[in-house]
Amino acid sequence: MNSREAVNTNIKYRIEFSKTDRMIYIGHLDLLKFFHRTFKRAGIPIGHSWGFNPHQLTTFAVPLALGVSSVGEILDIQLTEKMDCDEIKERLNNNLPEGIDILQVIELEFRAENCAAAVSYADYCVTLDNKYENMQETVDEIMSAEEINIERTVKKKTKTVNIRPFIKTIYVDNEGDKTEIYTNIATGSQGNLKIDVLLEYIYSKLGMEFRFEKTDILRGTLYTDNKGDLLPLCLEEEFI
C-alpha cells in the first residue's frame, strides 16, 4: 500500500504542559527535538508521517518566546496505539527534567482541528520592574482608544499596524510592591500580538524604555475563538 492509499488510523491526544525555571531559555526548535527524544525514552508509540523523510506527528499550538515562562503550553500528538491519558502523563513526567511538567492529557476526536490552527488568544501575567501608580490611567487610555497604530519592521520593510483589535482585555494590579498586568491578546495564525510589542507600547505611554529582562512574563491559558466565545484549548478553568 503506498502513501496515497494508506489510511491514517492514529489516535490524537492533546498535551498541556508548563515550561518554567531554567527551561524558559530553551528555544522552540530545541524544545521540539527534546520532546521527540522524550517520546522515544518513555516508550510512547508516536505516529510518523509517510514519505521518504518521515517525522513524528507532533504539533505545538504557538511558539513561546525565549525567556517567557508558561503554565498552559499545548502540544498535539498522534499515537499508533490507544493509551490511557494518565499513563501518557506519568510516562512523560518520569522522563522530563525539572522545568517541564505535563499537567494533563486528553484524547481528541480525530477530526478535531489541530491546536496550531485552533489557537486564537492567550492570557499573560506580567510582573513589572517597579510599582507604577499611573499604570491604570495608561491602561484605561489604551482600552478606550479606537486605534493604536505602531510601526513594525518585518523583512526590512516598515509598515503601520493597528494593534488595538488584538487586545481583548488588560487588568492592572497595584496591590503589591510591583505592578502586575493581566492581559488577553490575540495569539495565532489569524492574528497575533507579541506580548513584548504591547509592553513596549505601554512603556512608551509612560515615557519610559521597555526592557525585557526586567520583567517576569508568564503565559497562561491558550484559547480558541468559538463564534466570539473564548474556550480553553485544554483547561477547564480560565487563567484570569
Side-chain angles (χ1 to χ4, degrees):
M1 180 181 291
N2 61 38
S3 61
R4 293 184 179 181
E5 297 172 338
V7 176
N8 189 346
T9 58
N10 294 334
I11 301 95
K12 286 186 175 182
Y13 294 86
R14 178 159 293 167
I15 298 172
E16 181 206 18
F17 66 96
S18 61
K19 186 171 182 251
T20 58
D21 300 324
R22 291 179 296 178
M23 295 305 294
I24 67 175
Y25 301 109
I26 299 295
H28 180 67
L29 292 180
D30 288 333
L31 182 68
L32 177 62
K33 295 176 182 177
F34 180 82
F35 265 102
H36 285 179
R37 292 193 295 267
T38 301
F39 289 134
K40 292 181 179 179
R41 285 199 306 270
I44 303 296
I46 196 80
H48 289 75
S49 63
W50 296 308
F52 296 103
N53 186 27
H55 59 272
Q56 290 188 9
L57 294 172
T58 58
T59 304
F60 284 89
V62 60
L64 188 67
L66 201 66
V68 175
S69 58
S70 175
V71 292
E73 293 306 282
I74 301 294
L75 169 64
D76 285 354
I77 63 174
Q78 295 186 33
L79 302 187
T80 58
E81 300 174 14
K82 188 178 180 65
M83 289 187 65
D84 179 76
C85 292
D86 288 337
E87 183 180 357
I88 296 173
K89 176 182 175 181
E90 182 178 2
R91 284 198 194 185
L92 291 176
N93 278 331
N94 287 339
N95 286 275
L96 289 168
E98 183 178 354
I100 295 184
D101 185 34
I102 305 301
L103 304 177
Q104 68 170 321
V105 180
I106 61 174
E107 184 177 345
L108 299 175
E109 293 185 2
F110 191 80
R111 64 176 181 273
E113 189 174 32
N114 73 59
C115 57
V119 63
S120 300
Y121 285 87
D123 286 333
Y124 284 89
C125 173
V126 183
T127 303
L128 305 182
D129 59 326
N130 214 324
K131 188 166 185 174
Y132 298 95
E133 298 293 349
N134 55 342
M135 182 59 73
Q136 186 62 60
E137 179 182 344
T138 300
V139 166
D140 288 343
E141 183 179 343
I142 290 173
M143 295 305 294
S144 63
E146 293 185 2
E147 291 187 0
I148 299 176
N149 294 311
I150 63 172
E151 288 190 349
R152 303 302 297 167
T153 300
V154 180
K155 296 181 179 180
K156 298 182 180 180
K157 293 184 179 180
T158 301
K159 62 179 181 179
T160 301
V161 179
N162 176 20
I163 65 170
R164 180 60 187 88
F166 301 147
I167 306 171
K168 195 168 187 66
T169 59
I170 307 179
Y171 300 104
V172 177
D173 183 355
N174 265 328
E175 292 299 320
D177 58 352
K178 292 184 178 181
T179 295
E180 290 185 331
I181 293 176
Y182 295 85
T183 184
N184 181 278
I185 56 178
T187 304
S189 58
Q190 301 303 313
N192 188 70
L193 174 60
K194 293 181 178 180
I195 186 62
D196 57 317
V197 173
L198 175 58
L199 293 173
E200 284 177 4
Y201 181 76
I202 291 174
Y203 270 73
S204 71
K205 297 289 289 182
L206 296 170
M208 302 176 62
E209 179 185 4
F210 168 67
R211 297 187 63 179
F212 188 93
E213 68 275 10
K214 288 193 173 184
T215 59
D216 290 325
I217 304 175
L218 171 69
R219 187 159 78 185
T221 304
L222 298 178
Y223 299 88
T224 186
D225 189 340
N226 181 28
K227 298 179 181 179
D229 293 328
L230 297 190
L231 304 178
L233 285 179
C234 198
L235 294 179
E236 296 180 357
E237 296 181 1
E238 296 181 2
F239 178 64
I240 294 179

